[in-house]
């Protein structure tokens, strides 16, 4: 397929090198898509995409879904701005989450392009929800497969991170419910689909009852053995499948700016894993 592939860690992540996505053939872009489903997150160094290039790349993966909380890029409102100003100590996406799990049809993938990076730090960590699932005991797998969980956008309500809400209360919607273990819509792989930022409780359980098991799952799935770290380089692009991984951005560069552009691509409603 022409891409060089170096794995980022034992369980997930691949660095794809030697080609440009801009102007690439259908076959070359299909190879990126296949690698995404196989490695869960892919990074493509040295791409230097303009906003138009970024939108064209996203179109290969599906329909763009505009994030209703993030500030849009002024000239390209379909792109969300992930900006850290030098005086900020907290960052957007600074805790484990999957993008848009609070939507009835959560985002399939996110495509993040580096535009301005701190001299060091600001790495993004990814955790494999399939590797985590496979390592659980058979008993807990079975229990989780009988559960669904509620996901809410409420954690944006108190955020001080300069989100582009413009005081718009319509941005907030009622919680949605997804199976606790989903079948990946393309590969059928089982994934533990709960995350720290947006999952509030198991359906039919109280918040208090749900908290210990949810906390256990967050810790379990995000253990270092199930993670890969993306160290950003100028012009780098990362693409991750939100059904397969959780991610967080490291807030370790006080006094420096960081600017990323993010596009999320629409996904479909999620079905429970029914396999053995
Ligand atoms: C995000 O959570 O989508 C942002 C990740 C990052 O800025 O590294």
């Amino acid at each position: 397929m022409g891409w060089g592939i170096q794995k980022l860690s034992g369980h997930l992540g691949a660095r794809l090198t030697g080609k440009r996505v801009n102007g690439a053939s259908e076959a070359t872009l299909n190879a990126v898509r296949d690698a995404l489903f196989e490695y869960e997150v892919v990074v493509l160094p040295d791409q230097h995409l303009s906003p138009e290039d970024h939108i064209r790349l996203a179109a290969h993966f599906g329909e763009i879904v505009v994030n209703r909380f993030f500030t849009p890029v002024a000239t390209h409102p379909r792109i969300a701005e992930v900006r850290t100003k030098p005086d900020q100590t907290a960052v957007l996406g600074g805790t484990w989450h999957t993008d848009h799990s609070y939507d009835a049809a959560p985002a399939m993938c996110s495509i993040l392009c580096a535009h301005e990076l701190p001299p060091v730090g600001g790495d993004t960590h990814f955790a494999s929800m399939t590797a985590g699932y496979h390592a659980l005991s058979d008993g807990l797998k079975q229990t989780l497969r009988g559960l669904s969980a509620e996901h809410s956008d409420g954690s944006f309500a108190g955020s001080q991170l300069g989100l582009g809400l413009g005081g718009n209360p319509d941005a907030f919607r009622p919680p949605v419910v997804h199976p606790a273990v989903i079948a990946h819509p393309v590969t059928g792989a089982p994934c533990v689909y709960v995350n720290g930022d947006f999952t509030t409780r198991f359906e039919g359980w109280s918040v208090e009852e749900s908290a210990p098991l949810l906390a256990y799952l967050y810790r379990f799935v995000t253990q270092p053995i199930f993670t890969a770290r993306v160290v950003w380089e100028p012009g780098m692009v990362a693409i991750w499948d939100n059904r397969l991984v959780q991610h967080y951005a490291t807030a370790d560069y006080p006094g420096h700016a960081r600017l990323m552009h993010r596009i999320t691509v629409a996904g479909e409603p999620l079905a429970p894993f029914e396999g053995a």
Side-chain angles (χ1 to χ4, degrees):
M1 67 147 176
W3 290 99
I5 300 183
Q6 292 110 40
K7 288 188 72 175
L8 298 184
S9 76
H11 285 298
L12 76 162
R15 181 179 170 100
L16 305 186
T17 56
K19 291 212 156 236
R20 308 301 298 251
V21 288
N22 218 15
S25 67
E26 194 75 1
T28 299
L29 293 176
N30 284 343
V32 176
R33 189 187 176 89
D34 292 346
L36 176 65
F37 297 142
E38 180 170 354
Y39 298 104
E40 309 184 1
V41 52
V42 294
V43 296
L44 301 100
D46 210 19
Q47 298 289 333
H48 299 279
L49 300 187
S50 69
E52 290 80 11
D53 302 336
H54 192 173
I55 290 169
R56 249 193 318 276
L57 174 62
H60 183 78
F61 288 86
E63 194 188 321
I64 292 175
V65 52
V66 176
N67 186 285
R68 59 185 186 270
F69 295 101
F70 285 25
T71 304
V73 170
T75 50
H76 296 79
R78 288 196 290 167
I79 305 179
E81 194 178 87
V82 181
R83 182 188 290 278
T84 311
K85 297 184 184 143
D87 61 353
Q88 270 178 237
T89 48
V91 302
L92 271 176
T95 43
W96 286 107
H97 64 284
T98 68
D99 295 333
H100 292 226
S101 81
Y102 48 77
D103 284 341
M108 172 254 184
C109 71
S110 301
I111 306 176
L112 195 66
C113 294
H115 284 271
E116 188 178 350
L117 294 171
V120 67
D123 303 343
T124 309
H125 296 252
F126 293 89
S128 170
M129 298 193 284
T130 43
Y133 174 80
H134 286 300
L136 291 170
S137 68
D138 288 345
L140 186 48
K141 281 180 189 148
Q142 203 57 39
T143 300
L144 289 175
R145 284 169 51 185
L147 296 175
S148 293
E150 202 174 87
H151 297 246
S152 161
D153 54 24
S155 59
F156 285 118
S159 178
Q160 301 296 312
L161 291 171
L163 297 167
L165 286 170
N168 172 15
D170 296 338
F172 293 95
R173 296 185 188 157
V176 299
V177 170
H178 303 298
V181 180
I182 60 160
H184 185 269
V186 175
T187 67
C191 317
V192 182
Y193 196 74
V194 295
N195 69 84
D197 278 5
F198 305 127
T199 313
T200 45
R201 64 184 180 98
F202 292 108
E203 193 180 33
W205 297 25
S206 69
V207 170
E208 291 73 21
E209 288 166 340
S210 305
L213 180 52
L214 286 175
Y216 176 77
L217 290 170
Y218 304 150
R219 276 199 313 275
F220 190 87
V221 172
T222 60
Q223 291 175 81
I225 191 168
F226 304 130
T227 69
R229 178 179 194 131
V230 169
V231 180
W232 288 95
E233 298 162 18
M236 185 181 258
V237 176
I239 311 174
W240 61 88
D241 186 320
N242 283 296
R243 291 81 51 95
L244 292 168
V245 297
Q246 298 191 29
H247 61 283
Y248 85 86
T250 316
D252 62 350
Y253 49 96
H256 296 284
R258 179 177 182 268
L259 175 64
M260 317 295 270
H261 283 183
R262 193 185 83 178
I263 292 182
T264 40
V265 173
E268 54 266 86
L270 298 170
F273 176 68
E274 312 272 15

